[in-house]
Amino acid sequence: MMSVYLSGDSWAHRLPAGIKLVAVAIGSLLLFKTEMLWIFLVCLALVLAAYGSLGRGAIQRLRLLKGLSIFLAAILALHWLSGTVMDGVIAILRLCVMVLAASFVSMTTRMDDMLTAVMPMFRPLEWAGFSARKPALGVTLVLRFAPHLMEIFAVLREAYQARTGQKSSWRLIAPFALQALKMSDNVAEALAARGGSEGLTQK
């Protein structure tokens, strides 16, 4: 399975996981509050510059947008039919910035560090006698592997296009689901080998 984490010692790797997660969360909320095109263009440029600062390995991760291409095209088409093309462009830019920012956090943050950053949100569960680590681990895995699932879909789509000449099809759903299940099995086995949710390093 392709590694989501990009090894390195860049400024982004040294930045605390909590700060990165909070920055993405606040940034996403602010992006939903604006409709100004220039703000989205600036944000997209900043995110792309952040990827570029990490080198070729990070730039290659930009291909995850291919997995969103059909969805983005559908959004633009719907807005075009309704006569709100500019709103469609803004929606696409908003989605691209948010997805790339989330992927940037995933590839520059170790699993243990991300789990430690998410844990405080679920501490109140411990007051009721429930485990805080299990839901925290679930959220962490979603944050961690969502970009990877998009990359898997992009690869399947490229292979389908090479064989048939068509850009996409509903037939990709089945192999995508199988790949997702295979990845979940691999993750489950890796977690079991480390002792489950309680086996991850606690800091």
Side-chain angles (χ1 to χ4, degrees):
M1 183 177 67
M2 183 189 306
S3 175
V4 176
Y5 180 69
L6 182 67
S7 298
D9 188 32
S10 68
W11 62 272
H13 290 81
R14 294 190 296 269
L15 201 62
I19 292 179
K20 288 185 281 189
L21 290 172
V22 170
V24 170
I26 294 177
S28 299
L29 290 176
L30 292 178
L31 287 179
F32 275 107
K33 296 293 185 179
T34 183
E35 299 292 332
M36 302 179 70
L37 179 62
W38 71 268
I39 291 180
F40 291 100
L41 293 176
V42 170
C43 290
L44 181 59
L46 290 174
V47 173
L48 293 177
Y51 273 77
S53 69
L54 300 184
R56 184 177 179 180
I59 294 175
Q60 290 177 344
R61 300 294 179 92
L62 293 175
R63 65 174 180 265
L64 67 87
L65 288 179
K66 292 183 179 180
L68 279 176
S69 59
I70 298 176
F71 182 55
L72 298 178
I75 292 176
L76 188 60
L78 290 173
H79 280 280
W80 179 75
L81 291 174
S82 63
T84 56
V85 177
M86 186 54 64
D87 289 340
V89 172
I90 290 176
I92 289 174
L93 289 175
R94 179 185 290 120
L95 184 59
C96 288
V97 171
M98 292 171 60
V99 168
L100 290 177
S103 178
F104 186 81
V105 172
S106 293
M107 72 181 184
T108 59
T109 309
R110 294 174 60 251
M111 183 74 171
D112 294 339
D113 294 336
M114 191 176 295
L115 178 59
T116 300
V118 172
M119 276 284 289
M121 294 190 301
F122 298 95
R123 289 295 184 192
L125 291 176
E126 296 181 344
W127 304 340
F130 297 101
S131 171
R133 291 182 65 79
K134 292 181 179 179
L137 178 60
V139 172
T140 301
L141 289 175
V142 171
L143 294 173
R144 188 74 165 180
F145 291 105
H148 180 61
L149 287 173
M150 294 174 61
E151 290 186 7
I152 289 176
F153 184 80
V155 171
L156 291 173
R157 181 170 173 269
E158 289 177 356
Y160 180 80
Q161 184 175 6
R163 291 195 307 268
T164 66
Q166 301 178 12
K167 291 186 177 181
S168 189
S169 170
W170 61 269
R171 294 180 177 85
L172 293 175
I173 296 176
F176 176 71
L178 290 174
Q179 290 292 330
L181 290 173
K182 181 180 179 181
M183 187 185 76
S184 66
D185 286 341
N186 291 336
V187 172
E189 291 175 0
L191 287 175
R194 299 184 63 179
S197 63
E198 301 301 330
L200 295 176
T201 302
Q202 301 190 44
K203 297 181 181 179

